[in-house]
Amino acid sequence: MCFSSHIQITPERACRVLDGKVVIITGGARGMGAATARRCANAGARVVITDVLVEEGTATAKELDARFIAHDVTSQDEWAAVVAQTLEEYGRVEGLVNNAGIASLASIEEQSPEEFQQVLQVNLVGTFLGLKAVAGAMRAAGGGAIVNLSSVAGLFALPMTGGYGASKWGVRGLTKIAALEFGRDRIRVNSVHPGMIVTPMTQSFGAVSGEGTFGLSPVGRWGEAEEVAEAIAFLLSDAASYVNGAELAIDGGWTAGEGSLLPPPRPPEGA
Ligand code: NAD
């Protein structure tokens, strides 16, 4: 099948859509970052995993024949080191997944200013620093693709997510600004907005896999990290060559009803 004069997607290429691309994935030690690293490696990418969790990150990288770099996304110096080491080893950077993030659940009145600022530092400032750090290298590579992890909490208001929601609305906006600023350099920037996904982050407050586990989503269940990873791999790939500044909800349809809590009516029996 041919999508344009210069991009050919054959069945053989379909599963190696990132063949040879050098992709940095932050927070890749576990959860959605690790699932994304696995999907990208399977698609042929050379993967650089970064995380503050050194033991888990090293183990994940070893399993995938990837590179691990200890990295706190809130540090501009550490970002510079990640890009420098990636260039030293692979010679270029063509993909970045700003995935590292922390959660917090508290009402505005209960949340301390320190916690609010910490969530913004990791989720939003970390993403900003990532955009700054890779732009030059991607420009030098002739272009690239960046995927930022926002959330459904960046698409509609969820109570008890003052810091988290503010950070994810910020990531959504920053993504569009970066898409405008970087587009001419053939660097595409998009955001993904996962719903409730089973990962270590959410398992700590009761996430479970399987049918009937999450009634607010029309599909009635929590999502799996691999289902998000698949969408991220698409956005990183040349198959998404005209997708820029977009926001992709991966939530089983939860936000399609703009957060409505009402399930769709079922037709009466026998109708
Ligand atoms: P997770 O806690 O399982 O993984 C997050 C990873 O980020 C961890 O490995 C952690 O060590 C790393 N990290 C945290 N702070 C860091 C820092 N300062 N520097 C570098 N790495 C750091 O969480 P997850 O559920 O896989 O979440 C991944 C991303 O998806 C996050 O941005 C999260 O906000 C977002 N998200 C998650 C869900 C969900 O339901 N799980 C939904 C929407 C969005």
Side-chain angles (χ1 to χ4, degrees), residues 149-225:
L149 268 286
S150 178
S151 165
V152 291
L155 291 174
F156 61 22
L158 281 173
M160 309 293 284
T161 69
Y164 187 77
S167 74
K168 295 302 186 181
W169 278 81
V171 168
R172 179 187 181 195
L174 185 62
T175 300
K176 293 184 194 303
I177 292 162
L180 296 184
E181 293 188 7
F182 295 171
R184 284 196 191 281
D185 293 321
R186 300 167 62 94
I187 301 168
R188 298 179 295 101
V189 192
N190 294 291
S191 59
V192 291
H193 300 259
M196 301 302 259
I197 310 297
V198 183
T199 68
M201 178 188 275
T202 52
Q203 279 164 326
S204 63
F205 53 85
V208 280
S209 296
E211 298 302 322
T213 49
F214 186 59
L216 293 182
S217 170
V219 301
R221 64 172 175 83
W222 285 71
E224 300 298 331

Side-chain angles (χ1 to χ4, degrees), residues 26-34 50-53 56 71-74 98-103 118 121-123 149-153 164 167-168 192-202 205 222 225:
T26 68
R30 68 180 198 191
M32 271 187 270
T50 84
D51 208 296
V52 286
L53 296 177
E56 284 174 80
H71 172 215
D72 181 338
V73 294
T74 65
N98 277 311
N99 164 79
I102 55 174
Q118 176 62 11
Q121 274 299 318
V122 176
N123 297 0
L149 268 286
S150 178
S151 165
V152 291
Y164 187 77
S167 74
K168 295 302 186 181
V192 291
H193 300 259
M196 301 302 259
I197 310 297
V198 183
T199 68
M201 178 188 275
T202 52
F205 53 85
W222 285 71

Side-chain angles (χ1 to χ4, degrees), residues 25-38 47-64 67-71 97 99-101 199-200:
I25 300 168
T26 68
R30 68 180 198 191
M32 271 187 270
T36 302
R38 198 166 290 116
V47 175
V48 176
I49 290 172
T50 84
D51 208 296
V52 286
L53 296 177
V54 174
E55 213 172 295
E56 284 174 80
T58 306
T60 305
K62 193 171 171 199
E63 173 205 327
L64 301 178
R67 172 80 194 266
F68 174 73
I69 302 174
H71 172 215
V97 184
N99 164 79
T199 68

